């Protein structure tokens, strides 16, 4: 259901509240996905002239899942706060004192519903983290991440259903990687009205069993980030190829992480997109000695590598022109 | 562990459904009745002593709140004063509360759970019952509706669904539709009905509302008859006009046919000269008719012929003389 259709069917008094949700509703780490509204229904009798819908299902992206919560208003009493049905999570019962937008519900404020959803989602996150106690190993993983300030504040946890027959228990962690995207170039969009959202790199780690013997990582990049990356190893995350430009000179940089990274230094391979060698391959130069320290964090490594590129690329360009054929 | 079930008379359920059917929003209220344990002792060949314990909640009455969120606030906290007003002058104990929620799931909401906990604590009744009715339209045109109902109770840190049994609602058979009510000889029944009968029955013993409906029906019939008479008169005048139009058309058609015949084939008017009796004959001396050739002539020719005959007659007379 498109936002416009939902807004046309909702009761007039509730429309401002829903408008904020469907137009500005980005909650959680995955800000590329907006909140969606479906299954609009009414609590009025069939004789009431429309539009009078006052209850709907809200789809919320969370930790790689989509939560489907029923939100119930009353069109005849629009000043009353909404009520919730939390789908399959029947045991989830948030603490009302932690929901100030519910306790002091303001029907006149169009942002009230969106803020309340954010507060309830925060409570849901705490509820899922509590459920990790069913597995000591997963709880350990969670506590380890919590100790890292850059991850602890930017993490969503979803604990799956415990299989009553096998006792198996699964969980998923969604982490926002602390990467500095300030130097990413402006992203050109085909649809200028589309908001690409915040630049973000999310790592999803799924534990299929309680002992964490089967682990499946996935990397999600926001569109503007994906534009700058030619390809990368989506399973092992050991290879990355970037297409860069320096003073109208385009070149590829292949980054290969060794087996014992970060102890061992990654290999950088510079490759021209214009020049070929005598054997017909693209002209390239491999660099294994450049400023590096295994004690640097990811951001520092990227910053230092970028600084190295700036100093090395002129030399590489000269070599490509001198030794390569167009 | 005892099995739990809620029992409700059909009249309570139907009055709940009727009340909500006439309400333009969700509704809620309190439920009164009594709860207890029913112990059944079963003796069979295999087991000599089998005790089956049932926990039964008998719903006998309900009271609907004037509006939503009457006795609680947005966070589920109770408004004690409002609750006391609802509970005042109630002789039967509160065994639960109910909610009628259109087009929604048959499961408790977040606030309903909070209110249930708080109400259970306030009434000091850990076995408080929550009755949920969810009416919804079955067809998109709204021609058919259904009402699902269930009851919930909080036990072992979660809410359990409790089966609801409707009492005095047996199998419906064709001959179960009785045309006359069965008379009751009970003195208590007579006292109760006579106490309230004036509100429902008129002086002639018929239901007051039925009399009013019949009067309205009579007025409708009168109006309908007036309309029917007007329609009949209109139809008759239309029929008359049609027949007049038809006659006029027929006349016009005949006239136009006659005019066509006159123009194409016009016969000469009959004249005296054609009559054989009036044609001059010549007789001989013996008085016998002398045969003459008679022809049909035009008027001019007749005039000339008449003149010629006259001349010949004079000539014959002159010869005879």
């Amino acid at each position: 259901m498109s936002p416009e259709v939902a807004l046309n069917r909702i009761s007039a008094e509730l429309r401002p509240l829903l408008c904020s949700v469907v137009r500005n509703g980005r909650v959680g780490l995955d800000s590329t996905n907006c909140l969606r509204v479906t299954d609009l229904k009414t609590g009025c009798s069939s004789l009431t002239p429309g539009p009078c819908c006052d209850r709907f299902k809200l789809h919320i992206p969370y930790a790689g899942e989509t939560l489907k919560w029923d939100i119930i208003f009353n069109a005849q009493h629009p000043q009353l706060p909404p009520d919730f049905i939390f789908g399959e999570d029947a045991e989830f019962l948030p603490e009302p004192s932690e929901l100030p937008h519910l306790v002091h519900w303001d029907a006149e404020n169009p942002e009230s519903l969106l803020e309340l959803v954010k507060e309830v989602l925060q409570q849901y996150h705490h509820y899922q983290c509590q459920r990790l106690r069913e597995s000591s190993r997963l709880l350990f993983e969670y506590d380890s991440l919590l100790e890292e300030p850059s991850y602890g504040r930017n993490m969503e946890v979803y604990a799956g259903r415990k299989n009553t027959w096998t006792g198996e228990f699964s969980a998923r962690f969604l982490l926002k990687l602390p990467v500095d995207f300030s130097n990413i170039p402006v992203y050109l969009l085909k649809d200028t009205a589309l908001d690409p959202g915040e630049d973000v790199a999310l790592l999803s780690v799924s534990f299929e069993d309680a002992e964490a013997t089967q682990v499946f990582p996935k990397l999600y990049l926001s569109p503007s980030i994906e534009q700058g990356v030619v390809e990368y190893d989506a399973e092992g995350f050991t290879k990355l190829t970037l297409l860069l430009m320096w003073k109208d000179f385009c070149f590829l940089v292949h980054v290969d992480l060794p087996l014992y990274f970060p102890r061992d230094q990654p290999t950088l391979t510079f490759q021209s997109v214009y020049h070929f060698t005598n054997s017909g391959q693209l002209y390239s130069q491999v660099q294994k000695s450049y400023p590096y320290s295994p004690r640097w964090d990811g951001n520092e490594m990227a910053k230092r590598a970028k600084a190295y590129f700036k100093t090395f690329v002129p030399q590489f360009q000269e070599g490509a022109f001198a030794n390569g054929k167009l | 562990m005892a099995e739990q079930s809620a029992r409700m008379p059909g009249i309570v359920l139907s009055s709940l459904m009727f009340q909500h059917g006439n309400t333009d929003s969700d509704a809620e209220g309190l439920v009164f009745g009594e709860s207890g344990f029913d112990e059944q002792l079963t003796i069979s060949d295999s087991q000599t002593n089998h005790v089956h314990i049932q926990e039964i909640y008998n719903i006998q009455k309900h009271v609907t709140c004037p509006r939503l969120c009457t006795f609680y606030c947005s966070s589920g906290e109770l408004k004690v004063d409002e609750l006391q007003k609802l509970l005042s002058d109630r002789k039967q104990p509160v065994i639960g509360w109910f909610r009628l929620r259109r087009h929604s799931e048959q499961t408790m909401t977040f606030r309903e759970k909070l209110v249930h906990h708080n109400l259970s604590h306030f009434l000091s009744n850990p076995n408080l019952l929550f009755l949920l009715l969810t009416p919804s339209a079955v067809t998109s045109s709204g021609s058919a509706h259904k009402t699902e109902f269930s009851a919930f109770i909080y036990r072992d840190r979660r809410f359990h669904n409790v089966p609801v049994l409707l009492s005095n609602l047996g199998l419906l058979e064709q001959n179960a539709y009785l045309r006359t009510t069965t008379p009751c000889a009970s003195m208590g029944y007579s006292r109760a009905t006579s106490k309230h009968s004036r509100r429902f029955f008129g002086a002639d013993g018929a239901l007051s509302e039925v009399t009013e409906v019949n009067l309205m029906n009579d007025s409708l019939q009168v109006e309908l008859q007036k309309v029917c008479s007007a329609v009949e008169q209109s139809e008759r005048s239309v029929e008359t006009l049609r027949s007049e139009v038809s006659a006029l058309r027929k006349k016009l058609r005949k006239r136009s046919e006659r005019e066509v015949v006159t123009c194409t084939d016009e016969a000469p008017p009959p004249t005296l000269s054609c009559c054989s009796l009036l044609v001059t004959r010549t007789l001989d001396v013996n008085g016998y008719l002398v045969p003459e050739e008679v022809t049909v002539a035009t008027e001019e020719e007749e005039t000339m012929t008449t003149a010629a005959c006259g001349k010949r007659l004079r000539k014959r007379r002159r010869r005879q003389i």
Side-chain angles (χ1 to χ4, degrees), chain B residues 272-284:
Chain B
L272 290 175
S273 62
C274 292
C275 178
S276 58
L277 295 175
L278 295 176
V279 173
T280 305
R281 300 280 185 197
T282 306
L283 298 173
D284 60 2

Side-chain angles (χ1 to χ4, degrees), chain A residues 258-323:
Chain A
L259 185 62
Y260 295 107
F261 172 81
R263 188 196 75 181
D264 296 342
Q265 187 170 357
T267 303
L268 299 177
T269 306
F270 290 81
Q271 198 171 49
S272 170
V273 299
Y274 310 103
H275 303 92
F276 292 90
T277 61
N278 291 332
S279 55
Q281 303 292 319
L282 283 172
Y283 178 81
S284 58
Q285 285 189 22
V286 180
Q287 293 295 312
K288 290 184 182 176
S289 305
Y290 56 87
Y292 175 81
S293 170
R295 287 190 288 275
W296 293 339
D297 64 7
N299 272 332
E300 186 65 26
M301 284 186 188
K303 199 169 143 189
R304 299 282 185 132
K306 184 182 163 189
Y308 175 72
F309 291 170
K310 280 185 183 172
T311 58
F312 179 73
V313 165
Q315 177 186 337
F316 170 73
Q317 184 184 19
E318 277 180 24
F321 275 106
N323 301 314

Side-chain angles (χ1 to χ4, degrees), chain A residues 41-45 48 55 57 74 76-77 80-86 90 93-94 96 99 102-103, chain B residues 23-26 67-69 74-75 99 101-105 107-114 117 145 158:
Chain A
K41 289 179 184 166
T42 179
C44 303
S45 67
T48 308
R55 48 208 61 185
K57 244 187 221 326
N74 273 275
Q76 299 300 324
H77 306 281
L80 294 177
D83 205 350
F84 293 81
I85 297 177
F86 299 115
L93 197 66
L99 307 173
L102 177 66
V103 175
Chain B
T23 312
D24 211 13
S25 71
D26 297 340
R67 60 189 177 282
L68 292 172
C69 295
S74 57
S75 61
R99 186 85 192 253
R101 228 195 300 128
R102 274 198 189 92
H103 293 124
S104 58
E105 304 282 334
T107 184
M108 292 182 77
T109 65
F110 163 52
R111 191 176 300 118
E112 284 164 5
K113 289 178 185 173
L114 292 173
H117 283 308
H145 295 255
R158 42 190 297 246

